[in-house]
């Protein structure tokens, strides 16, 4: 039984799993749309939503929090100054996962993982 277990392990050690999630979120913020498996997109969306929510504060501690995950000052500035202000009136749901097809090699279900365009 998986009662109260929220973490997907993806068959990887914890350091590799953390690196995978950070790299998926980094690529999401750089390109704003990526193609990955559905399960990886669902796991990375939680982290991306937390980062955007913290970035909306726009203070020094928020920038430092975002930078701990992204580890890139330019990308941190982009998230805090460009991406987060798009969602000012929104309380959540900054990402979208659209299912595509099954991957030919291993049958994994692919999905488009993207930031919602908020105008």
């Amino acid at each position: 039984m998986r009662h109260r277990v929220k973490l997907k392990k993806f068959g990887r050690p914890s350091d590799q799993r953390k690196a995978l999630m950070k790299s998926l979120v980094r690529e999401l913020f750089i390109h704003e749309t990526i193609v990955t498996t559905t399960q990886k997109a669902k796991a990375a969306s939680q982290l991306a939503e937390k980062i955007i929510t913290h970035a909306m504060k726009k203070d020094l501690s928020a920038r430092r929090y975002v930078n701990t995950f992204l580890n890139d000052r330019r990308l941190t500035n982009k998230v805090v100054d460009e991406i987060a202000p798009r969602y000012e009136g929104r309380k959540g749901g900054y990402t979208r996962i659209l299912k595509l097809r099954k991957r030919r090699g291993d049958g994994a279900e692919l999905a488009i993982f993207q930031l919602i365009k908020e105008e």
Side-chain angles (χ1 to χ4, degrees), residues 5-118:
V5 178
K6 293 183 179 181
L7 180 67
K8 295 269 188 206
K9 292 190 177 180
F10 298 114
R12 299 168 194 247
S14 63
D15 58 340
Q16 291 179 13
R17 192 170 50 247
K18 288 174 190 174
L20 172 70
M21 290 301 118
K22 285 183 180 185
S23 66
L24 282 173
V25 172
R26 279 178 53 88
E27 292 300 313
L28 176 68
F29 289 142
I30 291 170
H31 302 292
E32 299 189 7
T33 299
I34 58 173
V35 176
T36 184
T37 63
T38 305
Q39 294 302 315
K40 288 178 186 175
K42 285 181 181 181
S45 68
Q46 293 175 350
L47 183 59
E49 303 252 347
K50 282 183 186 179
I51 289 173
I52 292 172
T53 302
H54 275 280
M56 283 189 202
K57 296 177 190 173
K58 296 181 184 174
D59 58 351
L60 182 61
S61 66
R63 286 181 189 273
R64 287 179 176 164
Y65 180 85
V66 172
N67 198 36
T68 59
F69 290 101
L70 304 180
N71 207 16
D72 182 6
R73 296 264 172 107
R74 288 184 185 158
L75 188 55
T76 299
N77 290 335
K78 179 181 178 183
V79 171
V80 173
D81 297 332
E82 296 175 22
I83 295 176
R86 290 187 210 163
Y87 308 108
E88 283 295 325
R90 198 174 177 104
K91 293 190 176 185
Y94 314 120
T95 60
R96 176 184 299 142
I97 299 171
L98 302 171
K99 294 183 181 181
L100 282 177
R101 63 186 187 285
K102 292 189 183 270
R103 189 162 45 201
R104 188 171 180 191
D106 61 354
E109 191 173 296
L110 294 177
I112 297 174
F113 182 39
Q114 62 186 3
L115 291 172
I116 294 177
K117 304 286 186 201
E118 190 74 24

